[in-house]
């Protein structure tokens, strides 16, 4: 069919990061970009895919050279290459099969098997993917295609979450029957799909569905039925926190690091799924190729959870807790609230009050328990006390910080006097 009326910006060649004159004829835009355009969905960062009958890598190389941008050869055998622009990635793939229709017939789901010809403004939809878009369903092209790349089994759930679609019944049954094939997939590819599902409450629903269909047991061998029950609770608690402490809510939505896409709420959910023993959890997460930063975040939350849940921490204990927990605090407090909700008859709002003091300390940059400031430096102590650098110096600085948090001292002079007394004692 030919497009009529308004055309989505993604499909307009003048909006692409390169001139369409570089495309041979025929050439087709395919995959998620076409799907999202038909749904009216826009993206800040464009991810475009083109199928070309021949010389796909050469076309990509020529475009990359002309625009002085990045070039990556993704698959030399299948002739797939990527051109990386500042605000877009563009993949060029050699057509598989004797025709475009044959190429589309090798894809995962019908909604991703739609092509757009920019030269004729024609939509090519041999598998009725557009009708499935209108129905809001994820429908497989064929069982063989899912088996050829078992990651597609997980991708069904991720796309259902991203698009707020449902998975067609036959497709879901096929996924369940092929679940054992997921172990053939490289763990890092599975991790990427899991992380998408950890990101929001729609993902939580489909992550649980994936677990029910036996796709996740190989990756979370210590997860129990109660582990999966905790995930929607984490989303509920995060919603309650948003209504009470917006700043804490913002932190939960932030990624562990700029280069690490797991959010702090995702850290909480991972902590629900792995073994509660930090060292065992570390092994599970490493097997899934999580980064050191993500592993440290999850294991820190698990290790400090008992301390957070202990009753009536003294100011001194609170000081050391905050020193250890650092920016993992938001994930740890949600984890504690999830645990408390499972074993308590109290409502979520009532449970929040248990940690109000610690949350308030964490959110107050001037709180000396959670965010201590130095009254004196190590060099100043060395001069004032006429001592040499040693481990004892660090101990003195720690005791000064604790005394300041306990409001026993507040000036440099009092800090030095305390240090002199500690040396004598």
């Amino acid at each position: 069919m030919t497009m009529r009326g308004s055309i989505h910006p993604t499909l307009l060649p003048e909006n692409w990061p390169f001139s369409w004159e570089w495309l041979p004829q025929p050439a087709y835009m395919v995959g998620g970009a076409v799907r999202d355009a038909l749904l009216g969905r826009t993206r800040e960062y464009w991810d475009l895919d083109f199928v070309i009958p021949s010389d796909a890598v050469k076309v990509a190389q020529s475009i990359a050279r002309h625009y002085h941008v990045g070039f990556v050869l993704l698959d030399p055998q299948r002739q797939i290459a990527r051109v990386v622009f500042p605000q877009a990635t563009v993949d060029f793939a050699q057509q598989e099969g004797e025709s475009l229709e044959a190429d589309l017939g090798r894809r995962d789901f019908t909604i991703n098997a739609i092509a757009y010809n920019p030269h004729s403004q024609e939509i090519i939809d041999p598998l009725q993917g557009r009708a499935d878009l209108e129905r809001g369903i994820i429908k497989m092209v064929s069982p063989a295609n899912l088996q050829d790349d078992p990651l597609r089994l997980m991708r069904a759930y991720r796309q259902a979450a991203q698009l707020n679609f449902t998975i067609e019944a036959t497709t879901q049954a096929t996924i369940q029957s092929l679940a054992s094939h997921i172990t053939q997939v490289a763990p890092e590819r599975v991790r990427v799909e899991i992380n998408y599902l950890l990101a929001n409450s729609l993902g939580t629903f489909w992550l649980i569905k994936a677990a029910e269909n036996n796709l996740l047991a190989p990756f979370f061998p210590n997860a129990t039925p109660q582990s999966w029950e905790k995930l929607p609770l984490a989303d509920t608690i995060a919603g309650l926190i948003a209504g009470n402490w917006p700043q804490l809510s913002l932190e939960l939505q932030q990624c562990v690091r700029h280069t690490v896409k797991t959010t702090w709420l995702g850290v909480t959910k991972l902590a629900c799924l792995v073994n509660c023993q930090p060292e065992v959890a570390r092994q599970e997460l490493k097997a899934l190729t999580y980064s050191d930063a993500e592993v440290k975040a999850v294991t820190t939350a698990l290790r400090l959870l008992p301390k957070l849940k202990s009753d009536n921490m003294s100011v001194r204990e609170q000081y050391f807790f905050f020193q250890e927990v650092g920016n993992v605090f938001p994930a740890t407090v949600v984890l504690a609230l999830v645990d408390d909700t499972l074993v308590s008859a109290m409502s979520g709002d009532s449970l929040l009050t248990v940690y109000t003091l610690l949350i308030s300390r964490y959110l107050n940059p001037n709180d000396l328990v959670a965010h201590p400031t130095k009254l004196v430096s190590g060099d100043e102590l060395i001069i004032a006390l006429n001592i040499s650098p040693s481990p004892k110096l660090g101990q003195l600085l720690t005791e000064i910080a604790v005394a300041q948090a306990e409001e026993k001292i507040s000036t440099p002079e009092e800090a030095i006097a305390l240090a002199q007394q500690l040396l004598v004692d």
Side-chain angles (χ1 to χ4, degrees):
M1 63 168 291
T2 302
M3 297 282 288
R4 299 185 183 277
S6 61
I7 299 177
H8 191 274
T10 305
L11 302 181
L12 290 172
E14 55 263 36
N15 292 332
W16 299 348
F18 67 97
S19 172
W20 71 328
E21 295 174 356
W22 287 94
L23 290 178
Q25 291 199 48
Y28 305 94
M29 184 186 291
V30 296
V34 178
R35 176 199 69 215
D36 288 353
L38 293 175
L39 288 171
R41 293 163 62 97
T42 58
R43 303 181 183 183
E44 291 183 12
Y45 188 91
W46 283 20
D47 186 3
L48 308 180
D49 294 273
F50 290 88
V51 165
I52 299 173
S54 62
D55 297 327
V57 171
K58 290 182 179 179
V59 170
Q61 286 174 325
S62 298
I63 292 173
R65 277 196 301 266
H66 179 78
Y67 289 96
H68 304 288
V69 293
F71 170 85
V72 183
L73 182 60
L74 296 175
D75 190 331
Q77 290 186 328
R78 296 171 60 202
Q79 289 287 286
I80 304 174
R82 173 170 295 168
V83 181
V84 184
F85 293 89
Q87 292 301 320
T89 58
V90 185
D91 288 357
F92 297 88
Q94 194 106 325
Q95 178 179 291
E96 293 191 44
E98 296 180 356
S99 65
L100 174 68
E101 286 73 13
D103 183 286
L104 295 175
R106 298 184 181 193
R107 295 179 181 268
D108 51 7
F109 309 111
T110 60
I111 61 171
N112 298 326
I114 308 171
Y116 172 68
N117 185 334
H119 299 288
S120 65
Q121 297 184 9
E122 180 186 11
I123 289 288
I124 300 95
D125 183 18
L127 298 167
Q128 289 74 53
R130 198 167 187 179
D132 291 334
L133 283 177
E134 292 171 358
R135 293 164 60 198
I137 64 169
I138 308 291
K139 181 180 178 182
M140 65 182 174
V141 172
S142 74
N145 290 8
L146 298 185
Q147 188 169 345
D148 285 344
D149 182 2
L151 184 68
R152 291 170 170 177
L153 306 174
M154 280 296 299
R155 198 170 287 154
Y157 298 95
R158 190 249 287 182
Q159 294 198 357
Q162 286 181 316
L163 301 173
N164 196 15
F165 278 18
T166 59
I167 299 176
E168 181 248 0
T170 302
T171 301
Q172 185 131 330
T174 302
I175 291 171
Q176 190 167 11
S177 71
L178 295 172
S180 62
H181 293 264
I182 196 67
T183 55
Q184 300 170 14
V185 181
E188 58 268 25
R189 297 180 72 206
V190 177
R191 170 181 50 77
V192 170
E193 301 301 321
I194 290 171
N195 270 11
Y196 277 116
L197 295 172
L198 288 171
N200 55 56
S201 56
L202 279 176
T204 295
F205 173 84
W206 288 109
L207 196 63
I208 293 170
K209 283 290 184 185
E212 291 173 352
N213 286 337
N214 303 317
L215 281 170
L216 296 175
F219 308 103
F220 297 108
N222 291 297
T224 64
Q226 190 178 70
S227 302
W228 299 104
E229 289 176 24
K230 291 181 179 181
L231 300 190
L233 284 177
D235 290 321
T236 300
I237 295 298
L240 291 172
I241 285 175
N244 288 271
W245 297 285
Q247 178 57 40
L248 195 64
S249 175
L250 287 175
E251 291 195 29
L252 285 169
Q253 297 168 41
Q254 292 174 1
C255 295
V256 173
R257 286 187 183 171
H258 178 66
T259 55
V260 175
K261 299 305 181 184
T262 304
T263 64
W264 289 110
L265 184 56
V267 166
T268 298
K269 293 177 182 178
L270 281 173
C272 293
L273 298 178
V274 295
N275 190 280
C276 62
Q277 298 299 320
E279 282 308 311
V280 180
R282 183 188 308 279
Q283 294 169 12
E284 291 180 58
L285 295 169
K286 280 296 184 183
L288 267 170
T289 72
Y290 276 98
S291 70
D292 289 343
E294 290 162 311
V295 172
K296 183 178 179 182
V298 173
T299 54
T300 297
L302 290 170
R303 180 169 54 83
L304 295 180
L305 180 64
K307 288 188 180 181
L308 179 59
K309 290 164 64 73
S310 62
D311 294 330
N312 301 318
M313 269 198 288
S314 67
V315 171
R316 182 184 184 87
E317 290 169 331
Q318 291 175 38
Y319 170 86
F320 285 110
F321 170 78
F322 280 115
Q323 288 293 296
E324 289 184 88
V325 77
N327 56 1
V328 188
F329 177 81
T332 310
V333 81
V334 175
L335 187 60
L337 286 162
V338 167
D339 274 8
D340 292 349
T341 304
L342 280 176
V343 300
S344 174
M346 296 170 65
S347 67
D349 286 313
S350 300
L351 281 167
L352 290 180
T353 60
V354 175
Y355 304 103
T356 296
L357 172 61
L358 294 175
I359 293 172
S360 299
R361 288 195 185 284
Y362 177 79
L363 293 176
N364 179 6
N366 298 316
D367 186 276
L368 295 175
V369 178
H371 309 286
T373 57
K374 285 188 177 182
L375 283 176
V376 292
S377 67
D379 289 341
E380 288 171 326
L381 277 187
I382 288 171
I383 294 170
L385 303 178
N386 192 25
I387 59 176
S388 301
S390 70
K392 183 67 176 178
L393 181 63
Q395 296 170 12
L396 292 173
L397 289 170
T398 297
E399 291 303 323
I400 287 170
V402 171
Q404 185 186 17
E406 293 174 329
E407 299 182 349
K408 294 178 179 177
I409 61 173
S410 59
T411 67
E413 293 77 16
E414 290 173 334
I416 292 170
L418 174 62
Q420 286 176 324
Q421 180 182 342
L422 290 172
L423 283 176
V424 173
D425 294 344

